[in-house]
Each structure stands twice: as structure tokens, then as C-alpha cells.
Amino acid sequence: HPQIDKLVMIDNDENIPWDAPYRLAQWDLPVVSGVVCNYNETRGVFACFTVKDEHGVARFPSYNFTKTMPGKGLIKVHSVGTGLICIKKVVFEKIYDSGQFPFYIPEATRVSAAQTGLLAWGEDIAFSRQCEDLGFDRHVDLSIQAVHYKIMPVSWPKAALDWDVDPQEWKVSPRDYRHG
């Protein structure tokens, strides 16, 4: 099917709106993700994408510090998670043409993880770095909210979605976790 030019990936531990794959694909962008969240004791609920703060530091927005998130709109981001993502075929072609494999964590990072027991970044960040190196922007459609099933269902709190804020004006808190 040479006319098919997009791949939508959805982790099997997520509940998404039925039309999320179509809505992501209709943007016709190289890489566009929905909002997938996770949780840890330090950060609380945080989004699995990074946005540069006012100082140019890429950070994962969290409910603890950033507090609200626009409920709609498209934003350009620094990195995206791969739990709910639409990727154009040309991205894969360029990655393979460059001699790399999509989502491959570099060997030095893997060796360091084996030695220390700490994986500095995973396949989603590796993919975002590959995209950046090849000139592909990454975006998030803020209107597509997934529920991520971990020990408990995790998503950005509905009461903290601001439907009136312009996504281009939204700022992540400089107190949020820094992207490594």
C-alpha cells in the first residue's frame, strides 16, 4: 500500500478517544502525539512530552508545578513520548537512510545503564533526538488526552485543562523536571 504514508502507534496500556488516530493523522505533520501522562512521587502527574521553558530548558510539564494545560490546540515540542503518536513514512525513510534504526537507544547510553542501573533516556527520547537531527519537528495535539493505565489510571486532571489559553502562549514551569 504505497499510498499509506503514516503509522499510528498506541501503547496497549492506554485508553484513547476512538477518533484519536484519525485526528493525529489529519494534521499531516511528520510527528504528532497526543497527551499521555505518567506519575511518580516527586513530580505527581506529568505529561510525557517536553516543552522548553522561558530559559530554553526542555521540561516535562507536571500538575504539581505547571498546574494547567491548554485543553486544545497544537504545539511544537522538544520531545514526545511514543505511547500515542502518528509518524509519517518519510521520517522512517530518512532515519534508515542515515544508517540508524528508529527508536534505537545509543550504545553508550545502554552500556551506562548496564553499569549504573539507571537508563538516562529511553526509546522515545532517542526517537525525538533522531527526528531533531534530521530536521523533523515534533508536535502535540493537546485536545487528544489518553488515560494511561499504570497502578492506577493516569491522565492530566480534567479540572486543570484550560480551554481559553492559547497553546502558543502556554508556559511550562521552570520548576518542572528537566529533560536530560
Side-chain angles (χ1 to χ4, degrees), residues 23-175:
R23 290 167 49 203
L24 291 173
Q26 80 181 14
W27 288 109
D28 200 33
L29 292 167
V31 178
V32 62
S33 170
V35 178
V36 177
C37 293
N38 211 336
Y39 176 87
N40 74 26
E41 290 179 14
T42 306
R43 295 187 269 165
V45 173
F46 64 94
C48 297
F49 61 84
T50 63
V51 178
K52 290 190 177 179
D53 69 11
E54 61 198 37
H55 307 290
V57 177
R59 299 187 182 275
F60 292 92
S62 75
Y63 177 67
N64 282 354
F65 298 115
T66 298
K67 299 292 184 203
T68 62
M69 177 184 296
K72 63 183 188 246
L74 185 76
I75 59 168
K76 183 177 169 184
V77 296
H78 179 71
S79 65
V80 292
T82 55
L84 174 56
I85 192 168
C86 180
I87 306 165
K88 289 190 79 168
K89 182 179 179 180
V90 66
V91 175
F92 291 112
E93 292 170 340
K94 293 281 187 183
I95 291 173
Y96 283 118
D97 288 349
S98 74
Q100 301 178 66
F101 299 103
F103 312 105
Y104 187 79
I105 301 168
E107 195 62 26
T109 303
R110 296 156 53 94
V111 168
S112 175
Q115 293 170 338
T116 65
L118 177 65
L119 183 60
W121 37 279
E123 74 284 343
D124 49 357
I125 300 300
F127 178 72
S128 287
R129 287 183 177 191
Q130 290 171 323
C131 290
E132 184 171 5
D133 290 347
L134 295 170
F136 292 111
D137 290 336
R138 284 85 51 219
H139 292 85
V140 172
D141 182 333
L142 298 167
S143 73
I144 302 174
Q145 299 275 330
V147 175
H148 195 183
Y149 290 97
K150 297 311 242 175
I151 293 172
M152 59 184 213
V154 179
S155 63
W156 198 269
K158 298 254 184 270
L161 292 175
D162 187 336
W163 298 95
D164 297 322
V165 70
D166 180 342
Q168 306 311 314
E169 302 296 320
W170 179 60
K171 300 292 182 213
V172 66
S173 170
R175 297 183 340 184

